[in-house]
Amino acid sequence: MAVHEILKMGDPRLLRIAQPVTKFDSDDLHLLITDMLDTMRAANGAGLAAPQIGVDLQLVIFGSNDSNPRYPDRPAVPPTVLINPTVAPIGTEEESDWEGCLSVPGLRAVVPRWSRIRYTGFDQYGDPIDRTVDGFHARVVQHECDHLMGLLYPMRVRDFTQFGYTAVLFPGIAATEDD
Ligand code: NI
């Protein structure tokens, strides 16, 4: 088990356009994913992108099958390894909801996202993934895939009156989370 340091906003490595993964089902790739899972679980995250631990690859993990103390009222998202993803909106509907990010500790904001998306990519074995999803699942995918384009959620915020410290906005939640 190897829990990595999570880079914080301001680190230029979070602003890069990530490189595609070219070799699947390799020892290096499996080790990277294991480390990312360990790191995400240790931080009670709903997702983690490889650039957040300084790895310049198009790889994200996300999902929560049981109660995540950072998002106690959110529906479960299937645990997923997603490599070289594409994300496209279905329709033009957007919805706004609260987001946080392990690279932006202690803060939350209301962020607009596409309500419904189709995403594609590959798992760690090179098998294709092609899903149409909505709601929180769609939000998590858009948030994580933004990391692969050098985008952090504060760059998506439109209403800065709904951006603040978790401990102030949600005193109950803040007591159970790490950041
Ligand atoms: Ni994030």
Side-chain angles (χ1 to χ4, degrees):
M1 165 157 176
V3 173
H4 289 243
E5 180 193 359
I6 296 175
L7 305 182
K8 294 191 180 70
M9 184 168 65
D11 191 305
R13 289 172 287 179
L14 290 170
L15 302 177
R16 295 185 290 200
I17 308 293
Q19 301 300 306
V21 171
T22 56
K23 190 159 184 279
F24 293 86
D25 200 14
S26 70
D27 290 346
D28 285 351
L29 187 61
H30 292 305
L31 182 61
L32 171 61
I33 291 164
T34 300
D35 285 359
M36 286 177 63
L37 286 166
D38 291 343
T39 302
M40 181 179 81
R41 289 184 185 129
N44 289 321
L48 188 72
Q52 290 181 277
I53 59 166
V55 175
D56 188 25
L57 288 174
Q58 294 178 22
L59 194 170
V60 302
I61 62 172
F62 54 85
S64 55
N65 35 22
D66 48 14
S67 60
N68 181 330
R70 291 184 84 235
Y71 297 96
D73 55 348
R74 295 296 175 80
V77 175
T80 301
V81 173
L82 180 64
I83 295 170
N84 300 349
T86 69
V87 178
I90 294 179
T92 57
E93 189 184 333
E94 294 180 350
E95 56 193 49
S96 292
D97 205 348
W98 291 97
E99 291 186 19
C101 179
L102 297 173
S103 293
V104 190
L107 293 164
R108 296 278 174 96
V110 169
V111 183
R113 300 286 185 187
W114 299 114
S115 298
R116 196 154 190 260
I117 60 166
R118 177 184 180 189
Y119 69 93
T120 69
F122 301 89
D123 69 11
Q124 61 269 51
Y125 305 102
D127 293 325
I129 293 170
D130 186 340
R131 293 177 183 160
T132 297
V133 301
D134 58 13
F136 183 58
H137 188 161
R139 175 168 299 276
V140 168
V141 171
Q142 289 171 85
H143 176 115
E144 295 310 326
C145 291
D146 263 2
H147 279 294
L148 306 181
M149 299 184 288
L151 293 172
L152 299 168
Y153 80 79
M155 301 171 184
R156 299 284 195 190
V157 171
R158 293 187 196 140
D159 178 359
F160 283 90
T161 70
Q162 294 187 292
F163 187 12
Y165 290 96
T166 313
V168 177
L169 291 162
F170 305 107
I173 291 177
T176 64
E177 73 170 28
D178 294 28
D179 64 23

